[in-house]
Amino acid sequence: SNMNPTVKDIIGIKPGKLRAFICDSPKGCNSARVQVQHVKRMYMPEGVVNYSVHTQWEDNIVVITAIAKQDDMKKNGIKEGGNGNA
């Protein structure tokens, strides 16, 4: 059973995890990409900093990864922030 991911599906992906969806058509894959952009703007869940989307157009598969916050990276970023970023 093919299903295009909904906002609820995307929000349900845990930080650091990915989920593959088989869409009903290339158009469905495209709308999945649009949904991810919508989630990024409106609903970014706790612990998620970004989403990556990989599409296999020939199979109508969309793989959505919820990229987790890295606390260590954040700490390092503050230390090094005085160099190039100021």
Side-chain angles (χ1 to χ4, degrees):
S1 65
N2 296 354
M3 49 168 282
N4 303 330
T6 63
V7 165
K8 195 174 162 210
D9 290 327
I10 296 163
I11 294 171
I13 303 170
K14 299 270 183 289
K17 301 289 180 204
L18 58 79
R19 190 168 164 200
F21 298 89
I22 301 169
C23 303
D24 53 17
S25 64
K27 207 165 119 188
C29 285
N30 208 44
S31 81
R33 298 178 75 87
V34 172
Q35 291 281 44
V36 171
Q37 293 306 321
H38 184 63
V39 169
K40 280 189 196 183
R41 279 197 306 271
M42 308 295 291
Y43 305 98
M44 200 68 110
E46 188 66 39
V48 176
V49 287
N50 204 352
Y51 289 93
S52 73
V53 185
H54 294 283
T55 311
Q56 286 173 253
W57 295 102
E58 62 279 7
D59 302 315
N60 295 328
I61 295 173
V62 173
V63 180
I64 302 171
T65 306
I67 300 167
K69 269 196 181 92
Q70 297 291 335
D71 286 339
D72 297 339
M73 271 166 53
K74 211 162 51 183
K75 283 187 204 117
N76 293 343
I78 292 166
K79 259 184 272 177
E80 294 159 7
N83 295 343
N85 302 347

